[in-house]
Amino acid sequence: MSTQGKLKLFCGNANPRLAEEIADYMGVPLGAAKVRRFSDGEIAIAIEESVRGADVFVIQPTCYPVNDNMMELLIMIDGLRRASARRITAVIPYYGYARQERKARARDPISAKLVANLITAAGARRVVAMDLHASAIQGFFDIPVDHLPGVPILAEYYQNILQHEDVVVVSPDLGGVTRARELAGRIGAGLAIIDKRRPAPNVAEIMNIIGNVEGKTVIMTDDIIDTAGTITQGAQALMDMGAKEVLACATHPVLSGPAIQRLEDSPIREVVVTNTIPFPPDKQSPKIKALSVAPLLGEAIIRIHEDLSVSKLFD
């Protein structure tokens, strides 16, 4: 791998453990950088090694605290650009503000587009993201975006543990059907859909289930588990419809507010997520299993650096 001297990895405070895993996978040390705060809360970044002419990758999901992590990313990109890095790629495993990607009502902002503009204006020349809430966000950027799916990682896990089960993959809403169909196709399972309407933000009302789940092992899949209302209500509805057991999976474990308690109290046997977002101690649960995205992101970084196809990773 031709990474000596020219490829450099940096990270902020958002998910340093994932950045270390990626660095270990690639055999490339993390760059020397310090992130600190002034007494008024302003962020200060110090890049403590030369990046002149380097191909630099900044690993920083914009998860909670979203605005702090976003500003760290923007300021670090600006510092690297002013230090004459040849190319800066923002590696954003979880893209904050992705759920504000359209005008749902009059006078709504499109915050996901604003964030794309900020990242580009700061000096990023490429973006790597995982499971954007809406694929159309790729088009918000005027620079290349490599959009990596989480489904292959989840599918590999289920292929190994559910070889002899009668499995149905369930989308918790109509918007997630494409993701559910891909997971079902990869593990050779059936497909069902929960048709629901949402009367208010973070409030889900389940209407009915399209497809047969009776007597089957059901896997509910989504891109994000936030307050866990959708997925736990869906799990109960599936059990009421005669499902044998309910498993759940998602790429991004936002797990805000009452999420952990809801998952603990739900009939879901296991929740499989990835480590795009770090797990503080208050978000640990025996029901939750995290899979690492470090090998996938590491391979993507190597391929981008060497000008190879990233899509070949999923063929």
Side-chain angles (χ1 to χ4, degrees), residues 65-78:
V66 181
N67 299 329
D68 284 0
N69 289 332
M70 184 76 68
M71 283 305 296
E72 280 186 16
L73 174 64
L74 297 173
I75 293 170
M76 186 171 280
I77 290 170
D78 183 72

Side-chain angles (χ1 to χ4, degrees), residues 190-213:
L191 180 68
I193 303 160
I194 295 175
D195 176 31
K196 73 173 194 303
R197 60 186 173 88
R198 192 186 287 276
N202 289 331
V203 178
E205 184 177 327
I206 286 160
M207 303 299 286
N208 53 55
I209 293 163
I210 305 162
N212 179 28
V213 298

Side-chain angles (χ1 to χ4, degrees), residues 240-262:
D240 293 344
M241 292 289 285
K244 177 180 158 189
E245 66 174 351
V246 178
L247 311 173
C249 65
T251 306
H252 307 299
V254 175
L255 302 176
S256 63
I260 296 297
Q261 193 59 51
R262 283 175 171 173

Side-chain angles (χ1 to χ4, degrees), residues 120-309:
T120 306
R125 288 297 163 260
R126 191 178 197 102
V127 168
V128 178
M130 282 200 68
D131 267 355
L132 292 167
H133 184 66
S135 294
I137 292 170
Q138 294 171 86
F140 293 178
F141 288 89
D142 293 326
I143 55 177
V145 177
D146 289 296
H147 186 206
L148 309 181
V151 166
I153 295 170
L154 299 167
E156 185 179 7
Y157 173 78
Y158 286 121
Q159 279 170 336
N160 291 332
I161 68 161
L162 295 175
Q163 292 175 342
H164 306 295
E165 299 281 339
D166 192 2
V167 181
V168 173
V169 175
V170 175
S171 172
D173 52 38
L174 294 171
V177 172
T178 302
R179 183 180 301 104
R181 185 181 292 120
E182 185 184 348
L183 178 59
R186 282 179 177 266
I187 66 175
L191 180 68
I193 303 160
I194 295 175
D195 176 31
K196 73 173 194 303
R197 60 186 173 88
R198 192 186 287 276
N202 289 331
V203 178
E205 184 177 327
I206 286 160
M207 303 299 286
N208 53 55
I209 293 163
I210 305 162
N212 179 28
V213 298
E214 190 171 352
K216 298 181 188 295
T217 296
V218 171
I219 304 171
M220 293 185 72
T221 184
D222 213 341
D223 60 327
I224 296 169
I225 299 178
D226 188 352
T227 60
T230 297
I231 213 140
T232 52
Q233 287 179 37
Q236 189 57 58
L238 290 163
M239 292 301 287
D240 293 344
M241 292 289 285
K244 177 180 158 189
E245 66 174 351
V246 178
L247 311 173
C249 65
T251 306
H252 307 299
V254 175
L255 302 176
S256 63
I260 296 297
Q261 193 59 51
R262 283 175 171 173
L263 291 172
E264 294 279 2
D265 296 341
S266 78
I268 298 171
R269 179 169 70 79
E270 181 184 62
V271 182
V272 178
V273 295
T274 77
N275 62 344
T276 56
I277 296 173
F279 276 84
D282 61 325
K283 292 186 180 180
Q284 307 284 346
S285 165
K287 280 191 176 184
I288 299 175
K289 179 180 179 65
L291 308 177
S292 180
V293 297
L296 174 62
L297 289 170
E299 280 297 327
I301 289 169
I302 291 165
R303 286 176 169 273
I304 291 164
H305 176 62
E306 297 185 345
D307 296 322
L308 299 172
S309 168

